[in-house]
Structures are given as C-alpha cells and as structure tokens.
Amino acid sequence: MLSRYVIQRLLQLIPVLLLVTIFVFLIVQIIPGDPVLVMLGVDPETGGRYAEEQYVALRHQLGLDQPIYIQYFHWLKNILSGDLGLSLQSRRPVFDILVERYPATIYLAIMALITGVAIAIPAGVIAAARQNTAVDYAAMGYAMWGIAMPNFWLALMLIVLFSVKLGWLPAIGYASPLESPLKFLQHGFLPAIVLGTDLAASLTRYVRAEMLEQIKQDYVRTARAKGLPPRVVFVRHALKNSLVATITVVGLQIARLLGGSTIIETVFTWPGVGSLLLEGIYSRDYPIVQGSVLIIAVTYVGINLIVDVFYKWLDPRIQLE
C-alpha cells in the first residue's frame, strides 16, 4: 500500500514541477533589464556604446528572438538534460556553480534544524505539562518574541555581541566541515542560532498545542486509569503521538531553511544558494537566478514528498486526496 501511495504522489508531482518551471521561466522574463546588454558589458541604467550587429547576433544566438513559448520549451529541454545554461558573469555552467554552493546551504540548514528542534520540543512539552504557569507563559513569550523578531536584526545583534564586543566568534566567512570542522562550527554557530531561533519559535507553539490535544484523548485517560506514572503517560504516549503530527511542520521548516535563508546567508557572507540568488539578482545574471530559484523550488517539493511518505508510514490511516 505504501508503494502505491508513493507512486500516486510521484504522479501528482509532475504537473506541480511543470508549473514550477513555468513560474521560474516567466518570473525571470519580467525582471527589468536585458541579458544581452549584460553579456556585452553595458549597464542598462547608465547606458553605453555597443555594435548593433553584435547585439542582434548575440540575441539570435541565445534564442531571445524566438517566441516566448519556444524559448520555454527549449529551456525545459535543456534542464531535463541537466543543462541550466552559462552564467552571464563567470561564463561557467550554472549547474556546476549550484553544485559548489548547495552543500553550504544544506550544512547550515542541518545546524539550524538541530538547534531549533533542541529548543522547541523540550520547551513545548514543558509548557504543555505546566499549562497556565509561569513556565508556560515564559515559553509562549519566547515563541511570540521569536516570531515577531526580524532575523536580520537578531543576526546583527549577535554579531555585535559575540564578534565585535567579545571577539569569540567570526562575524562573517565560511569553512568547509570536510576541511576544518572546528572552523566550520565557529563560522556556522551564529547563523545557525539565528535560523534555529526562528524555527523554534513557531515549532514550540505547535508542539505545545499538539501535546495539549493529545493529553485530552481517551487513550491517555486509559493509561492514567491503569496507574501508569504521569511521566510515562506524558512522554511515552502523548509525546510520541504528538510528534507524528509535528513531523509535517518540521518537514516544511526544513524546506524553508533550504530555500529561505537568503538574508542570513548574505549577512554572514555564507556561500550558499540563497546568497548566490541575491548575487544573481544584483548582477542581472538571469541563468543564475533561474537555476537558484529552480533548485529551491524542487527542494521544497521533494521534501514535502518525503514528509508525506514518512507521515503515511507512521500513520497508515492517512489517505491520498
């Protein structure tokens, strides 16, 4: 049954991914600027001199003189074969650049996820166990603060405290964990704290709400009636079932971390896909923008699929609708 569910979900992804490619292609088309002028080294805002024949020839070479739907099918055919085009700035294959930058984003997302889950689950469970007490109010206050606080503001405050004032951690930079694990942790600590705090804020409220819902269920009353210790009932029964639903939220947060850490990567000069996307926008490097948005969107869709399958595996009552 699980294999049938996976096949059905994969078939559902085909139109979704097609819509993603159409969106990515069209969104770049409406960005102001002319990629041909960028390749000729002409600033569209200040202007510059260039040969009209060279402009026409390059436009024809790129296929930009074709109708937009032909451009789209040509682009789709290329990405299906792994060809995302060449960067207008470096003239390197976009695919190779993404392969170089994506691991840094994954490492940061993993660190942020570990940080967020380590904060959220204990905080949510304790808040539910001590409902309407000072501990509960403190946990919910932290959650509200984390949701309302802009990430870039916390990032700047941590840089000022730990890098400028105390000098304990580097403010910017990156080191590969494969080459220097210690330097990687030093550089990744602050951005992971920022992203992890944001994740924990929303997740804490969800864990607390799920725990409160579970402890009202009949099976919890039955466990209590059997004489099981409150801690066993709370942790072994209520927490276990509440985590099943929490997995969906965590999965969505993973996708958000992989695709939405653009500002934090830029603040800490972390060489991930998010900062690459921003660099592509600033330099009007359209293939870079298309490739970055596409890999972020595909990651989001892929992680949602994994979460759905895992959720189905944990709870076979889930039906595909």
Side-chain angles (χ1 to χ4, degrees):
M1 290 298 292
L2 183 60
S3 59
R4 182 183 175 186
Y5 178 83
V6 173
I7 293 172
Q8 288 177 314
R9 290 289 289 114
L10 287 172
L11 291 176
Q12 284 185 345
L13 288 186
I14 294 175
V16 173
L17 291 174
L18 278 175
L19 287 174
V20 166
T21 60
I22 293 173
F23 172 78
V24 171
F25 180 79
L26 292 180
I27 199 68
V28 172
Q29 297 298 316
I30 62 176
I31 293 177
D34 189 334
V36 179
L37 292 180
V38 174
M39 294 183 70
L40 292 174
V42 178
D43 190 333
E45 296 179 355
T46 59
R49 301 180 62 181
Y50 60 91
E52 185 66 23
E53 295 79 8
Q54 188 182 8
Y55 176 86
V56 173
L58 191 52
R59 186 174 173 80
H60 177 71
Q61 180 185 344
L62 295 174
L64 297 177
D65 54 350
Q66 298 290 324
I68 193 167
Y69 67 91
I70 293 180
Q71 293 182 43
Y72 167 72
F73 284 116
H74 181 69
W75 177 72
L76 182 62
K77 178 184 175 184
N78 286 338
I79 64 173
L80 288 176
S81 60
D83 180 9
L84 296 174
L86 296 176
S87 165
L88 300 184
Q89 296 292 325
S90 64
R91 305 302 299 161
R92 294 182 58 210
V94 174
F95 183 83
D96 292 349
I97 297 174
L98 289 173
V99 169
E100 291 174 2
R101 302 287 287 263
Y102 203 44
T105 296
I106 295 175
Y107 297 146
L108 181 57
I110 293 173
M111 291 178 68
L113 180 68
I114 294 172
T115 304
V117 170
I119 296 172
I121 291 182
V125 171
I126 293 172
R130 305 292 179 85
Q131 187 182 12
N132 297 327
T133 64
V135 175
D136 184 19
Y137 296 145
M140 290 302 96
Y142 159 75
M144 293 300 296
W145 171 78
I147 292 172
M149 177 191 54
N151 276 344
F152 66 87
W153 180 84
L154 178 60
L156 294 176
M157 293 301 102
L158 291 179
I159 288 174
V160 170
L161 177 61
F162 290 101
S163 301
V164 179
K165 298 290 184 183
L166 300 176
W168 290 352
L169 295 168
I172 59 174
Y174 171 77
S176 170
L178 304 178
E179 297 175 357
S180 178
L182 180 59
K183 287 186 177 179
F184 168 76
L185 292 175
Q186 290 175 333
H187 285 287
F189 183 79
L190 294 182
I193 288 293
V194 175
L195 292 173
T197 300
D198 180 50
L199 168 65
S202 56
L203 196 57
T204 298
R205 297 180 64 194
Y206 192 83
V207 172
R208 175 185 180 273
E210 276 297 312
M211 286 295 296
L212 292 176
E213 181 66 26
Q214 291 298 325
I215 60 179
K216 297 175 184 174
Q217 301 298 317
D218 291 339
Y219 73 90
V220 173
R221 296 193 187 96
T222 303
R224 285 172 174 162
K226 288 181 178 178
L228 292 176
R231 179 173 298 179
V232 173
V233 175
F234 208 77
V235 174
R236 191 174 297 175
H237 296 275
L239 177 60
K240 181 181 177 182
N241 287 322
S242 69
L243 290 181
V244 173
T246 304
I247 288 173
T248 302
V249 179
V250 172
L252 295 175
Q253 295 293 337
I254 294 173
R256 191 167 69 89
L257 288 173
L258 287 172
S261 55
T262 302
I263 295 176
I264 299 306
E265 287 186 1
T266 303
V267 170
F268 289 99
T269 62
W270 191 267
V273 173
S275 58
L276 177 66
L277 172 61
L278 210 57
E279 292 167 14
I281 294 173
Y282 282 145
S283 60
R284 292 184 173 82
D285 198 335
Y286 304 103
I288 288 290
V289 176
Q290 283 181 323
S292 301
V293 175
L294 185 64
I295 195 170
I296 289 171
V298 170
T299 299
Y300 201 92
V301 172
I303 289 180
N304 271 285
L305 171 65
I306 294 172
V307 169
D308 286 349
V309 172
F310 192 57
Y311 197 66
K312 169 72 175 176
W313 177 69
L314 288 174
D315 189 352
R317 296 171 300 175
I318 301 297
Q319 298 296 324
L320 187 69
E321 295 182 358

